[in-house]
């Protein structure tokens, strides 16, 4: 059975449950927008301004969710600096259990219907061989990425180095510094963000959020110089870092490295045995990848963007 309507907060735990089951079987089938943590993060930071443009559909086997599609339709993105961007095309996040791959065609048909007439983007991983073939059969072609890429990386939480912060910097949690400081840390790290206090309030309302696993680095002048949220998946004993950001004036000081190491130690104490993080990069920007590789993360899979023209 299937159903189709706008995405709601109640859908996120169901979709995270499928992400947990897929992670246990085929972690290389987890695309950047469909992981346990990313689902909570994307929903929380965007549900208030964009929720009316987020149709979704679920597929069940009996009472168990085995596939879903989440479409992102045209919208106006308003950033904190006052600028706006009109998104005229559509994109899709989706997930399907490895035992139900026949549903990929139904997901494609649904997406083609809900985004009819629009440019349609989708991002399976390079390990989803069956899905890649089916998207291609429906007229989707590899997106010219100009060397840009997004990849999922992972490492076991053994043999961790000790975190070392520069003199005067110290590790804090969101529970300690409060919402205003946590929001400002994100805004300072991401110049063109649309993140607001309301966005953070919605993130905090997701069931997976934990303020003790939302880490920040405080500078000597009390500026929040870096921050990251860790999303703990107890079923797979995995923690996911999303997002990770550093204030421009405090970069190249080793803050992100120390923060992530401290986070991994904290994750072990919470019961995690594995960590993941998504890196974006390209020919002119490989800094995040170098950071994560230096911390022992290795590629699990890469996204393989595909596109179907409007019309």
């Amino acid at each position: 059975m299937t159903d189709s309507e706008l995405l709601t907060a109640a859908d996120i735990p169901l979709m995270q449950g499928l992400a947990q089951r897929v992670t246990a079987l085929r972690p290389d089938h987890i695309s950047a927008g469909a992981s346990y943590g990313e689902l909570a993060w994307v929903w929380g930071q965007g549900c208030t301004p964009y929720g009316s443009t987020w149709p979704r559909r679920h597929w069940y086997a009996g009472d168990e969710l085995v596939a879903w599609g989440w479409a992102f339709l045209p919208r106006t993105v308003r950033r904190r600096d006052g600028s706006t961007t009109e998104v005229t095309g559509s994109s899709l996040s989706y997930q399907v259990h490895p035992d139900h791959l026949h549903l990929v065609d139904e997901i494609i048909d649904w997406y083609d219907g809900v985004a009819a007439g629009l440019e349609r983007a989708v991002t399976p991983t390079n390990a989803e061989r069956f899905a890649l073939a089916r998207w291609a059969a429906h007229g989707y072609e590899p997106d010219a990425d100009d060397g840009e890429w997004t990849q999922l990386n992972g490492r076991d939480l053994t043999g961790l180095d000790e975190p070392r912060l520069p003199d005067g910097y110290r590790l804090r949690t969101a529970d300690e510094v409060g919402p205003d400081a946590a929001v400002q840390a994100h805004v300072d790290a991401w110049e063109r963000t649309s993140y607001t206090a309301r966005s953070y309030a919605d993130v905090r309302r997701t069931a997976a959020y934990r303020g003790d696993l939302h880490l920040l680095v405080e500078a000597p002048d009390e500026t929040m110089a870096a921050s990251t949220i860790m999303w703990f998946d107890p079923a797979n004993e995995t923690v996911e870092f999303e997002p990770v950001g550093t204030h421009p004036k405090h970069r190249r000081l080793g803050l992100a490295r120390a923060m992530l190491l401290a986070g991994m130690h904290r994750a072990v104490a919470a019961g995690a045995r594995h960590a993941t993080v998504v890196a974006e990069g390209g020919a002119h920007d490989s800094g995040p990848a170098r950071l994560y590789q230096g911390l022992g993360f290795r590629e699990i899979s890469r996204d393989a963007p595909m596109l179907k023209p409007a019309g």
Side-chain angles (χ1 to χ4, degrees), residues 185-298:
H186 183 89
V187 171
D188 288 341
W190 305 93
E191 181 181 3
R192 288 176 56 77
T193 186
S194 55
Y195 200 61
T196 64
R198 177 58 187 269
S199 304
Y200 180 45
D202 289 335
V203 168
R204 287 161 54 204
R205 277 194 283 269
T206 62
Y209 176 82
R210 287 176 49 173
D212 64 322
L213 295 180
H214 184 170
L215 301 187
L216 305 97
V217 176
E218 185 179 43
D221 63 0
E222 299 185 349
T223 297
M224 296 302 151
S227 68
T228 186
I229 301 177
M230 294 186 290
W231 304 92
F232 178 47
D233 169 7
N236 290 297
E237 299 178 320
T238 295
V239 68
E240 176 183 354
F241 292 96
E242 174 60 29
V244 180
T246 303
H247 191 299
K249 294 181 180 179
H250 297 270
R251 291 174 183 165
R252 293 185 169 83
L253 298 176
L255 303 186
R257 175 182 173 84
M259 178 177 64
L260 291 171
L261 282 171
M264 286 187 274
H265 280 282
R266 190 171 291 241
V268 171
R273 297 189 300 117
H274 189 78
T276 62
V277 66
V278 169
E280 297 180 353
H284 303 293
D285 181 17
S286 57
R290 290 197 304 270
L291 168 65
Y292 302 136
Q293 289 169 2
L295 286 166
F297 286 91
R298 296 295 179 263

Side-chain angles (χ1 to χ4, degrees), residues 27-300:
D28 55 346
H29 281 202
I30 300 292
S31 64
S35 64
Y36 179 84
E38 189 77 13
L39 285 167
W41 169 248
V42 174
W43 162 260
Q45 57 87 26
C47 63
T48 295
Y50 311 124
S52 63
T53 65
W54 287 352
R56 63 89 170 131
R57 188 167 184 174
H58 289 174
W59 285 258
Y60 289 86
D63 294 331
E64 186 173 73
L65 182 69
V66 294
W68 54 261
W70 175 1
F72 299 76
L73 299 182
R75 59 203 177 276
T76 301
V77 177
R78 293 182 173 85
R79 298 184 175 84
R80 290 179 65 101
D81 63 5
S83 64
T84 61
T85 298
E86 296 297 328
V87 179
T88 59
S90 65
S91 61
L92 178 79
S93 287
Y94 78 95
Q95 197 158 75
V96 58
H97 192 283
D99 293 341
H100 297 270
L101 294 180
H102 63 281
L103 292 174
V104 171
D105 283 286
E106 292 192 30
I107 294 170
I108 297 171
D109 288 340
W110 173 76
Y111 181 39
D112 279 344
V114 79
L118 301 173
E119 181 180 77
R120 278 152 277 172
V122 65
T123 313
T125 77
N126 58 2
E128 294 181 80
R129 298 302 180 190
F130 178 83
L132 288 167
R134 297 315 304 152
W135 286 104
H138 284 260
Y140 288 75
E141 299 181 353
D143 188 11
D145 57 10
D146 297 323
E148 302 297 318
W149 47 262
T150 301
Q151 70 183 37
L152 176 65
N153 307 276
R155 65 155 290 170
D156 291 334
L157 294 178
T158 57
L160 295 172
D161 292 339
E162 291 298 321
R164 298 183 183 278
L165 285 167
D167 290 344
Y169 290 83
R170 61 173 177 158
L171 191 72
R172 306 293 302 276
T173 70
D175 283 345
E176 294 169 345
V177 304
D180 291 346
V183 171
Q184 192 62 48
H186 183 89
V187 171
D188 288 341
W190 305 93
E191 181 181 3
R192 288 176 56 77
T193 186
S194 55
Y195 200 61
T196 64
R198 177 58 187 269
S199 304
Y200 180 45
D202 289 335
V203 168
R204 287 161 54 204
R205 277 194 283 269
T206 62
Y209 176 82
R210 287 176 49 173
D212 64 322
L213 295 180
H214 184 170
L215 301 187
L216 305 97
V217 176
E218 185 179 43
D221 63 0
E222 299 185 349
T223 297
M224 296 302 151
S227 68
T228 186
I229 301 177
M230 294 186 290
W231 304 92
F232 178 47
D233 169 7
N236 290 297
E237 299 178 320
T238 295
V239 68
E240 176 183 354
F241 292 96
E242 174 60 29
V244 180
T246 303
H247 191 299
K249 294 181 180 179
H250 297 270
R251 291 174 183 165
R252 293 185 169 83
L253 298 176
L255 303 186
R257 175 182 173 84
M259 178 177 64
L260 291 171
L261 282 171
M264 286 187 274
H265 280 282
R266 190 171 291 241
V268 171
R273 297 189 300 117
H274 189 78
T276 62
V277 66
V278 169
E280 297 180 353
H284 303 293
D285 181 17
S286 57
R290 290 197 304 270
L291 168 65
Y292 302 136
Q293 289 169 2
L295 286 166
F297 286 91
R298 296 295 179 263
E299 180 180 330
I300 297 173

